[in-house]
Structures are given as structure tokens and as C-alpha cells.
Amino acid sequence: MAIGRKECPCTNVTGTFASLSDRHCDLPSGENGIRLTLGGSCVPFSYGSSQCLLHDLLYDPRCNVDDADEGIIEAYCVRPFCYVDVATCKRESYERVYRSSYFPFESEVDIFYSYSTCNSSADDWLAVEEDIVGSRALGGISIDANVPYYVLPMMYKRDPSSGEIISAPDSEYYDDNIPYEGVYINYVKMIEEISKGDIQNITLTHRSKVSSRVHPGSSFTAAVQDIKDGLVDLSIGPFWITGQRLKMASFTLPLVYDKTFLVIPRPGTNDTYNDQIKKVLAPLSGGLWGILFAIILVAALLSVWFSDRSESTMNQNDRRMGLQRNIPKKKRRKIAYARLALDSFLQKGSFFFSAGVDQDENASLPNKLLLFGFGFFILIAVSAYVANLAAFLTLSTTESVNTMNGAVAAGMTICAHPALKAELEVAWPDAKFYFNEQAMDFAGMLEDLDAGKCRVMAVGYEDTSMDTAYLEKLCERDLVYTDSLVVEVPIAFPIRANLAAGFSYWMYQGERLGVLLQTAKDEFPQETTCNIYFSQGDSETSDYAKISVKNMFLPIMFFVACTVLAVILQIIHLIQVKRGVGSLVGRRSTLTLVTDSRGTNRKTSWSKRRSWLEKNDSDSKEDEEENFNDDGLQQIISTRSIMTGILPSEIDLESKEEEDFIDDELHQRINSTKSITKGSLQLDVEPRPRTVTFNDDS
């Protein structure tokens, strides 16, 4: 006879079974036995004791071959086992030992069994144990539960006479003879059924009247107060798990996670002329527009400075002509420079808007360097602007704030449920919420909205998404749910602490068996007369990001670098001119490419000198006009041709034709003045006020 392994021997539990009088039953032989499960078979007191046997095959009706489907019995029926001394097995052996699930922990009947001590396996039994034994998680108790309020179609009553659904509680709410109906009512009934007697029944009742005085702002929090006061065991409905409620009661496993969304007036589409104007400016941020105009202004002012050769040219030629002591100090005309600055600003603006710059071969090196950096900035800025412009011009904008961030930024007052006050203030510390402690749930929030106490609402979707009466009120006010999440809170049943684990167990088992809250919801399809949902996809306002200063960092820095370098070169040029030293930074036409052995600057070709003279005759008409009267004769003398200091001894001739041209050219210039000598200039005329005309290059 097998009595198990020596280190984990079988033990006799006959006396223990015989002492459990509340489970006694009569065997077919007339002897007393014990019923291991509720409604299960009756087995002798010797079941599982003292030796390794096929106890289930001998006594379990499920293992009866005659009663089995198609003559096939469960595999556990042919697995030997016995009850064992748990203390010895834990101390001396490595055998797997299990506590018998026929007896819950609160029964204080501790009996343990082992299959491995009988050279068998417990796997087959463990696979069907829960189905056969069931659970005694709650011990077959009856539960009293209250219903906090009517939320269609979650929980409600019908009028006893007409059978119509009652949407708002009245005197019938306190009449327990009128049954409750709805999604959550059906769900708890299904939980009761799958418990197989572990929950004997759930009796539904109303919350106490006094609890509404303690918590006037929320009928649900008032219902939880009844659990704390010991009036009921459970509350049924979509209860948020909040810090305030956790102080009053425990909660079951979460049923769902309720998302509170922003509810706003339905946005309209803006299509005014003002909106279309804004679209043109929309591709660039406001800061970038400011920097853009600042860059154009800087480029314009520096261009005027770099092109101003009046002082440097006069100083250089005055030395060569020996007239420094005879010419009075010149003063700059501020209004003329202001006009030049305006012209230059408009010119640079035209460059920007036309996406290009004007090429002036005779511009100074600093000016060319400035325009080089300005041109690169134009390339990137205009390309980026044009790339975004088409998208913004076809953008459909809305006239309302449709996100929680937008509502907070706009300083809007948001009506919210007082039960979520702590959670909302933590999630949105900068938001301006309005909590009406005297209002009754979401219906009261609508009244506050109508009274102008807020402009938008934060509404729990789980509580209201199936309430057709509430949804119709939203339609009447043309309100819509957005997909902007305000806060997410788990929903569960508040329950007495000692029942929370057991009830949660059956909720968990229900999920495995397909008993879900959604299954109960599917029995109550809802329809509304309007579309109460508004998605951010319907509003394209935030689909496109504006080009910011950060995006334009490279072209801005490139322009700044070119500008700084151009300013440095211009300063060097001015210093060299004042010192009478030849400068390589000025206009290209003043560059000296060859020097003789004495260091005298000479041109390499008279053809270039001739081109220069012809150009200066044209430039002098645009830059300066000096009027002199001598014996009734008015002559126009070009200051540039005088200040060039061209004398026959300084000209390097390359051909006879060039020499003849020079003689004729110089003869005409000398005759136009009264006396020109090498190193000095004498004018026998009385000077009149001069009229000077500037162009962009002066």
C-alpha cells in the first residue's frame, strides 16, 4: 500500500472531515460523508486520507465513465494523490504541496495535498480546479448596494404606470419596490451569476437623503459616504477613483478609464478679408518678420555709408591738387542722407521681394561683401516663405479655442465637476476652473454655462456618452466634445474594504468569461440628433508650424558675419584714404595695378583710363554740378575730372593713337578752366552757391 514518500508521507484527515458538521451529507450506503463543494458530490470522511489512491475516480461523479461524454473522463480522475503533513513535507522534502481549495482561508480548515509524493502530477487537476471547486472569495454573502442617481442608460427606473424611462429622480427613486435597469445593473447581475453562489444576491437601494446634504455637489460622492457610514456594502455606477473618495471606501478593479474632454461651442470657419491678410503673414513668426525688416534696414544704411565717397574722394584729390587750405570745411546735409537712406531701404526691400540683388561692378568691396551676405539671407528666407505660403493660404481656420492648452492660454473659465477638483488642479495648475459645489453633476454644469459663469466645460465621457437626454441638451446649445484630453481617471465600484478583493476576483473572472461592461453597453445603442464630436482634424489651424527665428539661424548668422566683415573693411578703407595711402578696398576703377620704380602709381592701359574718363563725365552729371560765372560765361566743371589729377607727365602711353586722343582730351579740359598747373589749381571766378545732386552711389 503506497503511503507516499518517506520525506512527505500521507496523513489521515478523517477526523477533520467528521468535525465539519455543516458540510455533512448522506452516502448511498447510509453512512455520513462530507460535501466538499456547494452542490457537489458527497464523499466519505476517508477521502484522500492515509494512502495514494485514485480518490477522484472512486468518488467524483465527473469521473464516472457511464456519465462522461462519449465515455471519456477528465485526466485528473486517473491521477493518484493524498493529503499530507505539510510541516514534514516543507522541512524534509522537495515535493510540491498545495492547500485544498475546498476550504477558504477564513474557514481556518487547513488541509494540504500532494500528487508528486504519489509519483503523479497535479497539472491536470490544477487545470480544472477553478471550474470544479469554484471560489469562496466572498463566502456566499448577500450584498446591499445603492444607486447614486439616474444616468441614462447606465442606471434608471421606469414609471410603474406608463413604463416610460424616468430620467431624473423623484419620489420613485426612494421606492425599492420599483426595480432598477441599465448597463451597470445588468453588469453586476452577470457578475452575480458567474460567482456560482459565492455572491448569493445583490440588493439594490437608494442613497440616503442626508448624504446629499454632506456632499451637495456630487450624488456619487454622497453614495460613497453611505459606504463609509456602514449603510451599504457597495455602490453601483461609473464612479471616479479620487483621493477624496479613497478616504471613505475601497474600490474594485477599474472597469474603464474615463477620459474627461473639453466641451466647447461648435467652431465656425473664418473667411473674412482680415483672416486672409493674416494668412499671408502666417508662414513666418512675428519675431522673424521683425528681424527680416531689421536686416533690410541695416543693409540699406550700410550701403549708403559704403557708397559715400564725398569725403574720402575730396580729401584724396585735395592733397593732389594742393587746395586743402583754400577750401572751407564741408558739412553733410542730414536731409539728403535721410533721403538716400529711404531710397536704399526701398531698393533693398525690392531686392528681397524680388529674391535677388542688383550687381554693380563698380561697387566697393565692403558693399559687395554686404550684398553677398544679404543675397544668401534672401535665398533662404524667400525659399522658406514661398514653400509654406501655399499651405497657409488654403488653410481653413476656426474662430474658437478647441484645445485645453488654448483655453488655458486664453484665460477662459472652465466649468468642471467638483469631484475632480484636486485632480484637475494638479494636472492644470494655470487653468481657471469653476467648481459649483451646489450644482448637481453635469446637468448643473450646463446651467452654469448658460448663466455665463464659464465659456467651456470639462466633461467626463464615460458618464455622458450614452446619456441621450444630456447629449440632446448639448445639441440644443450647439456644444461639441473635442479630442483635447483634460484628465484621465479610472472608474470602479466603491466597496467595503473586506469585500474589495473578493468582488474584484469575480470581475476578473468575468473578463476571462467574456462578461464585460462593454457587453452590457452593446444592449443599449444610442443615437443623437446632431454630431456632438469635434476632432482637431476638423481644424487645421495647428497643422502647420510657422518658420521661427531658430529655423533661420544659419542665414541670419551668415548675413551678420558678412556685415561685420564689410564694416571692418570700410573702416580700413577710410583710414587709408585719410592717410593718403592707396586703398585696395574702394571702387574697382581706382585700383592701381602697376607701380614704377619710383613708386608712382600708373595705369597699365590708356583704354581703361579713357573708359574711366567717359564714365566719370556721366557720373559727374549725376553726382555734382558746380556753376561758375566768368565774364558772362557759365561753365560746368566736373569735380571728379579735376580731382583725378590727370596730367600729361603722369600718363603712360602705349600707342600714337592714344597719345593723340589724350592731347585732344586734355586740351579741352584745360580750356574749360582758367588755369591748371601741375600741383596747383587757380580759379579766377567768383563762386556761387552749389547745387549737388546725389544718387545711390554717391
Side-chain angles (χ1 to χ4, degrees):
M1 180 183 297
I3 59 173
R5 298 184 186 278
K6 178 181 178 181
E7 297 81 5
C8 187
C10 297
T11 189
N12 191 344
V13 297
T14 302
T16 303
F17 282 170
S19 65
L20 301 176
S21 57
D22 60 329
R23 291 201 178 194
H24 283 184
C25 58
D26 295 329
L27 294 170
S29 62
E31 298 178 357
N32 286 334
I34 185 173
R35 195 178 302 280
L36 296 179
T37 63
L38 296 174
S41 60
C42 186
V43 298
F45 295 146
S46 60
Y47 174 84
S49 292
S50 303
Q51 53 186 326
C52 296
L53 294 175
L54 303 178
H55 297 283
D56 292 316
L57 185 63
L58 294 173
Y59 303 110
D60 191 340
R62 300 177 189 82
C63 297
N64 190 326
V65 177
D66 296 333
D67 297 335
D69 294 338
E70 300 180 0
I72 300 176
I73 59 176
E74 296 284 351
Y76 77 92
C77 297
V78 292
R79 303 296 184 196
F81 77 96
C82 69
Y83 292 112
V84 296
D85 180 2
V86 64
T88 302
C89 293
K90 289 194 300 181
R91 184 179 62 252
E92 303 292 342
S93 74
Y94 293 96
E95 305 301 332
R96 290 293 303 274
V97 177
Y98 304 89
R99 188 182 185 281
S100 175
S101 56
Y102 289 130
F103 306 96
F105 286 95
E106 58 268 20
S107 69
E108 298 183 355
V109 178
D110 297 324
I111 297 177
F112 299 85
Y113 63 92
S114 175
Y115 279 82
S116 61
T117 194
C118 298
N119 293 321
S120 182
S121 172
D123 293 344
D124 295 324
W125 165 250
L126 296 175
V128 297
E129 178 183 25
E130 212 167 72
D131 296 333
I132 295 175
V133 177
S135 173
R136 301 288 293 176
L138 294 172
I141 67 169
S142 294
I143 296 177
D144 292 329
N146 65 13
V147 177
Y149 198 72
Y150 295 165
V151 179
L152 302 178
M154 306 298 185
M155 49 242 188
Y156 59 88
K157 286 185 177 182
R158 293 181 181 271
D159 187 288
S161 56
S162 65
E164 295 181 356
I165 295 176
I166 303 173
S167 58
D170 202 351
S171 58
E172 84 292 333
Y173 173 71
Y174 297 98
D175 186 354
D176 289 340
N177 293 321
I178 302 176
Y180 287 93
E181 300 178 34
V183 173
Y184 281 83
I185 307 303
N186 291 354
Y187 175 73
V188 295
K189 286 181 179 179
M190 290 187 289
I191 294 297
E192 179 184 329
E193 291 175 4
I194 66 171
S195 72
K196 298 179 180 179
D198 193 37
I199 302 174
Q200 290 292 335
N201 72 297
I202 298 176
T203 303
L204 302 179
T205 185
H206 54 82
R207 55 177 167 76
S208 65
K209 289 185 176 181
V210 69
S211 64
S212 298
R213 291 189 175 182
V214 180
H215 302 283
S218 173
S219 58
F220 285 77
T221 304
V224 181
Q225 184 67 46
D226 283 349
I227 297 177
K228 180 182 179 181
D229 296 342
L231 303 181
V232 292
D233 305 312
L234 173 72
S235 290
I236 297 175
F239 284 82
W240 291 320
I241 300 178
T242 66
Q244 179 190 20
R245 293 171 181 175
L246 283 171
K247 291 181 180 179
M248 296 187 287
S250 296
F251 280 81
T252 64
L253 290 174
L255 292 162
V256 292
Y257 283 83
D258 185 22
K259 295 182 178 181
T260 297
F261 292 112
L262 190 68
V263 174
I264 62 172
R266 188 183 303 277
T269 302
N270 290 340
D271 196 26
T272 64
Y273 287 109
N274 185 44
D275 297 316
Q276 300 305 321
I277 292 173
K278 291 179 180 179
K279 289 180 182 180
V280 176
L281 303 177
L284 306 183
S285 65
L288 185 56
W289 277 113
I291 290 181
L292 187 149
F293 282 102
I295 288 177
I296 294 176
L297 180 61
V298 170
L301 295 178
L302 291 179
S303 180
V304 172
W305 182 34
F306 295 163
S307 300
D308 180 15
R309 301 185 305 279
S310 59
E311 181 178 1
S312 61
T313 305
M314 287 300 297
N315 287 340
Q316 183 182 28
N317 287 280
D318 285 347
R319 289 191 183 92
R320 298 174 60 184
M321 301 301 290
L323 297 178
Q324 285 184 316
R325 291 174 298 178
N326 300 326
I327 298 178
K329 185 177 180 180
K330 299 179 176 62
K331 293 183 179 180
R332 299 177 182 274
R333 298 178 63 199
K334 294 182 179 179
I335 189 170
Y337 276 95
R339 169 57 190 275
L340 287 177
L342 176 60
D343 289 346
S344 184
F345 180 81
L346 295 176
Q347 181 191 49
K348 299 305 181 291
S350 299
F351 289 171
F352 184 87
F353 297 137
S354 60
V357 295
D358 188 19
Q359 300 297 326
D360 183 5
E361 296 181 356
N362 296 318
S364 64
L365 181 59
N367 203 14
K368 291 179 179 178
L369 187 58
L370 173 69
L371 293 181
F372 180 71
F374 187 56
F376 181 75
F377 175 77
I378 290 175
L379 171 67
I380 303 301
V382 172
S383 299
Y385 175 79
V386 172
N388 265 16
L389 181 61
F392 277 92
L393 287 178
T394 58
L395 190 63
S396 176
T397 57
T398 58
E399 61 183 8
S400 126
V401 173
N402 46 53
T403 65
M404 188 61 186
N405 285 321
V408 174
M412 289 184 173
T413 302
I414 306 168
C415 282
H417 202 293
L420 293 178
K421 182 176 182 179
E423 287 71 15
L424 290 172
E425 289 179 344
V426 170
W428 301 93
D430 298 328
K432 186 179 179 182
F433 289 107
Y434 176 76
F435 303 101
N436 189 346
E437 299 292 346
Q438 303 302 319
M440 188 56 69
D441 300 318
F442 294 106
M445 291 169 55
L446 274 177
E447 295 176 0
D448 291 335
L449 183 71
D450 294 339
K453 297 178 180 178
C454 57
R455 296 175 58 186
V456 294
M457 300 188 300
V459 179
Y461 187 75
E462 176 66 21
D463 294 279
T464 58
S465 61
M466 299 185 68
D467 187 349
T468 54
Y470 185 82
L471 298 180
E472 287 300 326
K473 292 179 180 178
L474 296 184
C475 289
E476 292 171 3
R477 294 164 173 81
D478 204 18
L479 301 174
V480 291
Y481 291 90
T482 69
D483 53 8
S484 180
L485 181 64
V486 181
V487 71
E488 188 173 19
V489 182
I491 283 182
F493 295 142
I495 192 171
R496 281 198 294 119
N498 62 323
L499 302 179
F503 201 90
S504 296
Y505 167 80
W506 287 116
M507 291 172 61
Y508 177 75
Q509 290 298 108
E511 290 184 10
R512 296 177 56 192
L513 299 174
V515 177
L516 303 171
L517 182 63
Q518 186 59 46
T519 304
K521 287 182 178 181
D522 292 340
E523 301 176 7
F524 296 86
Q526 302 297 313
E527 293 183 0
T528 57
T529 58
C530 70
N531 180 18
I532 57 171
Y533 303 104
F534 175 77
S535 172
Q536 293 300 327
D538 300 332
S539 172
E540 303 173 359
T541 332
S542 59
D543 285 352
Y544 306 107
K546 296 183 179 181
I547 302 172
S548 65
V549 176
K550 187 176 182 180
N551 300 135
M552 296 293 293
F553 177 77
L554 175 60
I556 291 174
M557 287 300 101
F558 186 83
F559 172 77
V560 170
C562 291
T563 302
V564 171
L565 183 56
V567 169
I568 293 174
L569 292 176
Q570 178 70 4
I571 293 174
I572 294 174
H573 170 66
L574 294 178
I575 292 174
Q576 290 177 338
V577 170
K578 287 182 179 181
R579 292 178 179 176
V581 181
S583 173
L584 297 178
V585 181
R587 297 170 65 89
R588 184 191 67 172
S589 56
T590 65
L591 294 180
T592 301
L593 304 181
V594 179
T595 61
D596 60 12
S597 59
R598 297 174 299 171
T600 304
N601 296 336
R602 297 185 179 277
K603 297 295 179 180
T604 58
S605 172
W606 170 246
S607 60
K608 294 181 179 179
R609 169 77 68 149
R610 180 173 57 188
S611 299
W612 181 84
L613 290 171
E614 293 173 351
K615 175 120 179 31
N616 273 284
D617 281 340
S618 175
D619 289 347
S620 62
K621 294 177 182 179
E622 299 175 0
D623 292 343
E624 301 177 358
E625 292 182 359
E626 297 190 13
N627 300 327
F628 296 94
N629 290 328
D630 184 13
D631 297 331
L633 177 62
Q634 182 180 11
Q635 296 182 342
I636 300 175
I637 304 176
S638 172
T639 58
R640 287 192 177 181
S641 62
I642 294 175
M643 288 188 287
T644 53
I646 305 174
L647 297 176
S649 60
E650 293 182 325
I651 301 175
D652 186 12
L653 303 179
E654 293 183 352
S655 66
K656 184 67 172 61
E657 291 77 10
E658 290 181 350
E659 181 179 1
D660 294 339
F661 176 84
I662 293 171
D663 290 339
D664 294 338
E665 184 74 12
L666 290 179
H667 180 71
Q668 294 176 11
R669 290 177 182 265
I670 291 171
N671 288 338
S672 66
T673 62
K674 289 301 180 181
S675 176
I676 296 179
T677 60
K678 185 175 183 180
S680 64
L681 175 65
Q682 297 177 350
L683 301 176
D684 298 328
V685 294
E686 290 294 329
R688 289 189 178 182
R690 293 181 298 171
T691 300
V692 182
T693 303
F694 294 95
N695 61 10
D696 291 345
D697 225 13
S698 60

